[in-house]
Amino acid sequence: MARQRATTDPGRVTIYEVAAEAGVSISTVSLALNSPARVSDRTREKVLGAADALGFVPKTEAVTRARKALGRIGVVAPFTAYASFGRRLNGIFEAVRDTAVDVVVFDQESAATSPSPLLATVPLTHRLDGLVVMGLPLEASTARRLVSSRLPTVLLDVRDDRFDSVHTDDHAGGRLVAEHLVARGHQRFAFLGEEQRSHLYVSPSQRRLEGFRSGLEAQGRGLTGDAMRLTGPGSGSAREQARDLLAGLGPPIAVFAHNDALAAAVLRAARDLGLQVPEEVAVAGDDDGDLAEALDLTTVHQPLEESGLTAARLLLERVHAGTPARPTRNVSLRLSLTIRGTT
């Protein structure tokens, strides 16, 4: 006989009812919610689907009381994939330095590869006062859980009208590079970016490419199909794609790389091919971290620490307010171009 779907107060739905609805054990439900990476995608989706169907959220009053006693915010980002997120995290640490708030850090795989299992379940665990999500898009079901669980959330480098957000204009960054390279007298241009293997959102690499392309077109220049390469993770793949790009096009050429790590791969490829920088190959990147300074690299300066600081302050204000009723806030931070010796 089919199970009857619960119709009681959603705040009174228990983990036992979720287990019965999903057709799994209590321990599996607990594992799916608390250690999502340890269960299969199919099992996790069954559990989350049951939780959504039943409206599995604690009573608002109980959640609020529990969160006030935690003094803990979470930060989710692809830290090991991109060094820039470590600098954003430094900004968050600065924001909480003189508070009693602890920061719990969750490292997730790049959104260019797949959605985050943790983001799918964290709204149901109620172990945080608030959450900062950096560089990872929200699936529709995850966004709904965050809203229904009343978990204060701030997005960084991702936009959703239901949440506060902090961002920079990647499109504008690409235009800055295009304008600079044209002003330097370059006539031929190329782009090295990151492969996009998830269609949940438009990646920073795609936005920077479009800005670069539109900036060139505005000045009567163009970017042909053979002047673009996309690379997967790992420096070996980036260096191979960069070498293929430079060897195929030949000097002189000006290359904009999606980030400073990819720009470093272009510089290494130029050295492998015996090409002079910037006379035969001009190179610009994006982020402006320690690597860019060490390489004397022209790059788009991202206010990384400031973005983390701003996101944390927005979150703490939201947590202390104790209500999601106030309008969401979207903060846009300014980009600039740091000109060095590679262009």
Side-chain angles (χ1 to χ4, degrees):
M1 183 173 68
R3 291 185 297 275
Q4 184 175 0
R5 191 160 295 206
T7 57
T8 57
D9 177 2
R12 303 180 67 177
V13 173
T14 68
I15 193 172
Y16 299 95
E17 292 171 272
V18 174
E21 178 73 15
V24 299
S25 67
I26 304 299
S27 61
T28 298
V29 173
S30 178
L31 200 61
L33 297 181
N34 296 297
S35 301
R38 295 178 58 190
V39 299
S40 68
D41 292 345
R42 181 179 179 185
T43 298
R44 186 171 59 251
E45 288 306 313
K46 284 175 61 177
V47 171
L48 294 175
D52 289 343
L54 296 172
F56 177 62
V57 291
K59 291 182 180 179
T60 301
E61 297 82 4
V63 173
T64 302
R65 284 198 302 271
R67 286 191 180 138
K68 283 182 178 178
L70 291 174
R72 184 188 307 132
I73 63 172
V75 183
V76 187
F79 290 108
T80 53
Y82 304 101
S84 59
F85 286 105
R87 292 177 56 196
R88 291 179 170 99
L89 183 61
N90 287 337
I92 291 176
F93 287 145
E94 176 65 25
V96 304
R97 176 176 295 174
D98 297 323
T99 73
V101 174
D102 292 328
V103 178
V104 183
V105 177
F106 303 94
D107 183 33
Q108 293 294 291
E109 191 174 15
S110 167
T113 303
S114 62
S116 165
L118 176 80
L119 277 180
T121 58
V122 73
L124 301 177
T125 61
H126 306 296
R127 295 178 176 178
L128 301 169
D129 291 322
L131 183 67
V132 177
V133 180
M134 302 197 295
L136 297 168
L138 298 181
E139 293 184 280
S141 58
T142 299
R144 287 195 300 269
R145 290 183 200 113
L146 287 168
V147 171
S148 64
S149 68
R150 299 170 66 89
L151 179 66
T153 301
V154 176
L155 309 181
L156 201 161
D157 277 356
V158 182
R159 300 286 297 274
D160 186 305
D161 291 340
R162 290 166 288 189
F163 306 98
D164 294 335
S165 66
V166 180
H167 59 93
T168 53
D169 188 345
D170 287 306
H171 191 277
R175 289 184 66 94
L176 280 175
V177 174
E179 291 165 1
H180 167 70
L181 293 177
V182 171
R184 277 287 200 262
H186 296 288
Q187 300 294 324
R188 299 167 62 239
F189 307 90
F191 178 81
L192 179 64
E194 181 184 61
E195 288 179 352
Q196 183 69 26
R197 287 174 282 167
S198 169
H199 299 291
L200 291 175
Y201 78 134
V202 178
S203 71
S205 181
Q206 290 172 306
R207 294 194 297 266
R208 291 169 190 174
L209 169 59
E210 289 308 310
F212 186 52
R213 192 200 307 273
S214 66
L216 292 175
E217 291 175 350
Q219 299 180 75
R221 308 300 199 279
L223 192 66
T224 60
D226 62 346
M228 291 178 283
R229 294 288 188 282
L230 300 178
T231 180
S235 59
S237 173
R239 182 179 170 190
E240 181 180 347
Q241 290 287 354
R243 189 163 47 233
D244 181 62
L245 179 67
L246 296 181
L249 296 174
I253 194 78
V255 183
F256 175 37
H258 157 59
N259 57 33
D260 293 343
L262 293 186
V266 177
L267 291 172
R268 178 63 185 273
R271 189 176 75 178
D272 292 344
L273 295 170
L275 301 175
Q276 297 298 309
V277 176
E279 293 80 9
E280 295 178 292
V281 178
V283 184
D286 197 301
D287 282 343
D288 198 16
D290 293 340
L291 177 63
E293 186 172 0
L295 294 174
D296 195 28
L297 175 69
T298 293
T299 185
V300 177
H301 176 76
Q302 296 269 358
L304 299 172
E305 289 84 359
E306 182 185 355
S307 67
L309 178 71
T310 303
R313 285 177 173 170
L314 288 177
L315 181 63
L316 293 176
E317 289 174 11
R318 184 71 70 179
V319 169
H320 294 152
T323 172
R326 58 194 290 185
T328 57
R329 297 159 292 178
N330 296 304
V331 179
S332 180
L333 301 179
R334 232 183 128 92
L335 298 173
S336 59
L337 188 68
T338 301
I339 301 172
R340 296 192 179 98
T342 57
T343 57

